[in-house]
Amino acid sequence: MQKNTRPTRRHLLAAGAAAALTIGASAFLPAANAMAAPGCAVTYTTSSWTGGFTANITIKNLGDAVNGWTLGFSFPDAGQRVGQGWSATYQQSGQSVTAQSLSWNGSLAGGASTTIGLNGTWTGSNPAPTSFTLNGTVCTGATTPTTPPPTTTPPPTTPPPTTPPPTTPPPTGQTPVAINGQLRVCGVNLCNQYGRPSQLRGMSTHGLQWFAQCYNDASLDALATDWRADLLRISMYVQEGGYETNPSGFTDRVNTLVDEAGERGLYALIDFHTLTPGDPMYNLDRAKTFFAAVAARNANRTNVIYEIANEPNGVSWQTIKNYAEQVIPVIRANDPDAIVVVGTRGWSSLGVSEGGNSTEVINNPVNASNVMYAFHFYAASHKDNYRAEVERAAARLPLFVTEFGTVTYTGGGAVDAGSSTAWLDLLDRLKISYANWTYSDADEGSAAFRPGTCYGGTYAGTGVLTESGVFMRNRIRTPDNFPTS
């Protein structure tokens, strides 16, 4: 068997109260080129903290179909200002605000709704607006606006999704993808098609150039049905005999594994596995080529997540951010709805392994929607101070643990069951999704299978598993919590 030549030096290292205002049953005038019968309703829900707020606004068309709309309202207090908005184009003049539809949500059939939102600031008080207009006509009705008492919880740094969760009937399937559908970032959470926070739990492949034999029908069936996993992370190394040696061949292999995961109802996390060199800009052109190809090919799938830089190291957060803001538009051009996971400084440790912390990301987030931030840990090496930083960061950032091990940062050594349990208990409590390193038979402590397993035909059960494999299978097999209402 070809031995693992993977490098061993990894060095890894709220919400406020809510108030609702409903305004309904009024005239709804059409946009310039649309006809509409009277009728509209607007629901304004706000969460407030000291100095800031988030508002979600649902617009319901009670008349004929319209094509293009503008919502208008005025803030009651002069100190209220729109900051960051989503799902509409916002303008503010004095206390007056307009929100204009985008291309994807401008058409509203009779009875249809769309939701937009914004983060804002306030200095005096933060009452809810009491009047709205749709295409210039006032929506009137009895209202009793209330403003919740402010809290000290700051806003999430990533806005809710650019498309609202659709109204979806109860799930007809039992696989993770059948239940959750297209995932979105909402606030600091990964949310399913019902707009409810959901946690995915699964395994990462090893390098496809070394362990291709581990990923076949039998092993993937075991992951889906015996382990009852939700997620397969497809780890495609760029260097070290990986993608750069055969771009088309590795792209095809990734796409095949996306298909295999989809057939089993698993989410597929496509990992552009950069480690050495640690500067993601070194692979910028390769990343653009690769992600343009896989995003175009998988654009209509609901099970694909993109991880664009595995473990940046030795570079600033600004460099990582610049890289992300060049790669994400390439993905969005073909697959506008998918989650994108961005690596963080210090081997995706939020900077902790290089003496930093998450503040640099909180204060300077990636300028894109539907983005999450990667965190990696190895339980025997990274303990209380790393866990404390994740707890702190998770209140402000949407995190995804795209890789972790039960052993040391080298990928070897004994399983630290105590620290691994503490980590997974924390991730479960915070609903942070994760993929364990690795679903392979590598001759190292982090591997799930005993050496030589991938040259046989048996993958289910515990007889072929290492200590780490038994530990992870027991954790992943516990029932999922996928809210649907």
Side-chain angles (χ1 to χ4, degrees):
M1 150 178 146
Q2 183 179 8
K3 298 296 183 181
N4 171 25
T5 57
R6 174 173 169 267
T8 58
R9 292 186 60 81
R10 304 191 61 87
H11 300 284
L12 281 173
L13 358 263
L21 158 67
T22 302
I23 304 167
S26 71
F28 187 168
L29 289 188
N33 61 345
M35 296 299 293
C40 65
V42 175
T43 301
Y44 182 100
T45 304
T46 182
S47 297
S48 180
W49 57 92
T50 302
F53 66 97
T54 292
N56 288 287
I57 308 167
T58 298
I59 305 161
K60 185 174 183 179
N61 177 15
L62 302 180
D64 295 335
V66 296
N67 183 18
W69 49 262
T70 298
L71 178 75
F73 62 90
S74 292
F75 285 130
D77 191 278
Q80 294 172 295
R81 304 293 300 177
V82 173
Q84 181 184 39
W86 53 91
S87 302
T89 300
Y90 292 83
Q91 292 185 345
Q92 181 170 355
S93 177
Q95 291 170 238
S96 299
V97 179
T98 60
Q100 186 171 4
S101 60
L102 302 180
S103 59
W104 56 266
N105 65 355
S107 296
L108 281 178
S113 299
T114 190
T115 299
I116 64 175
L118 61 95
N119 286 332
T121 58
W122 57 275
T123 55
S125 60
N126 188 40
T130 58
S131 178
F132 293 85
T133 63
L134 238 317
N135 293 339
T137 297
V138 175
C139 293
T140 60
T143 66
T144 309
T146 59
T147 301
T151 73
T152 59
T153 305
T157 57
T158 299
T162 56
T163 57
T167 300
T168 309
T172 57
Q174 293 303 311
T175 69
V177 174
I179 296 171
N180 291 291
Q182 180 66 60
L183 302 170
R184 295 172 172 81
V185 176
C186 53
V188 296
N189 296 116
L190 177 68
C191 289
N192 63 14
Q193 64 183 337
Y194 303 95
R196 298 296 303 278
S198 295
Q199 179 195 37
L200 304 180
R201 302 174 299 169
M203 296 295 293
S204 175
T205 74
H206 210 309
L208 302 181
Q209 73 273 39
W210 299 314
F211 294 94
Q213 71 276 7
C214 289
Y215 312 113
N216 53 58
D217 284 345
S219 69
L220 297 176
D221 285 346
L223 183 64
T225 61
D226 182 54
W227 287 59
R228 303 173 194 167
D230 311 315
L231 171 76
L232 173 69
R233 182 193 192 222
I234 302 167
S235 183
M236 187 201 70
Y237 278 73
V238 182
Q239 277 71 52
E240 303 170 61
Y243 174 81
E244 67 178 1
T245 68
N246 183 3
S248 62
F250 277 93
T251 301
D252 289 345
R253 180 61 175 152
V254 168
N255 284 331
T256 297
L257 287 174
V258 169
D259 291 346
E260 296 283 355
E263 289 171 6
R264 293 163 175 82
L266 300 175
Y267 287 93
L269 175 61
I270 299 176
D271 164 33
F272 195 69
H273 200 87
T274 53
L275 178 64
T276 304
D279 184 353
M281 297 299 287
Y282 179 84
N283 286 305
L284 178 61
D285 289 341
R286 296 183 184 93
K288 289 181 176 180
T289 299
F290 172 74
F291 283 110
V294 295
R297 196 264 192 181
N298 298 299
N300 293 325
R301 300 177 181 271
T302 59
N303 71 317
V304 178
I305 304 168
Y306 302 95
E307 182 182 4
I308 61 175
N310 167 59
E311 288 185 352
N313 57 88
V315 295
S316 68
W317 166 245
Q318 187 60 51
T319 296
I320 301 166
K321 180 176 183 286
N322 289 343
Y323 166 85
E325 290 175 354
Q326 294 184 65
V327 175
I328 291 172
V330 173
I331 296 172
R332 292 283 185 254
N334 291 307
D335 195 347
D337 298 324
I339 300 287
V340 176
V341 183
V342 178
T344 57
R345 189 163 66 90
W347 295 270
S348 285
S349 69
L350 290 169
V352 179
S353 289
E354 291 180 342
N357 57 48
S358 59
T359 299
E360 62 189 12
V361 183
I362 293 170
N363 290 342
N364 188 25
V366 171
N367 184 25
S369 61
N370 247 11
V371 167
M372 305 188 80
Y373 299 92
F375 185 83
H376 293 180
F377 67 87
Y378 280 76
S381 299
H382 309 119
K383 300 191 177 183
D384 289 345
N385 62 321
Y386 285 80
R387 284 190 283 269
E389 185 59 26
V390 166
E391 180 105 40
R392 171 179 175 264
R396 301 292 300 276
L397 298 171
L399 300 181
F400 199 128
V401 174
T402 56
E403 179 182 321
F404 77 94
T406 60
V407 293
T408 70
Y409 69 83
T410 66
V415 171
D416 189 328
S419 181
S420 296
T421 298
W423 269 114
L424 295 183
D425 288 349
L426 175 66
L427 300 185
D428 289 352
R429 176 166 58 82
L430 297 175
K431 279 191 171 291
I432 295 176
S433 300
Y434 63 75
N436 176 252
W437 186 272
T438 78
Y439 199 65
S440 76
D441 65 354
D443 189 12
E444 60 184 30
S446 64
F449 296 112
R450 295 178 180 179
T453 297
C454 295
Y455 289 95
T458 300
Y459 297 89
T462 59
V464 294
L465 300 182
T466 64
E467 183 183 2
S468 183
V470 171
F471 179 88
M472 287 310 308
R473 177 179 176 272
N474 287 341
R475 289 293 302 220
I476 291 174
R477 275 173 60 89
T478 56
D480 287 311
N481 178 16
F482 297 145
T484 59
S485 62

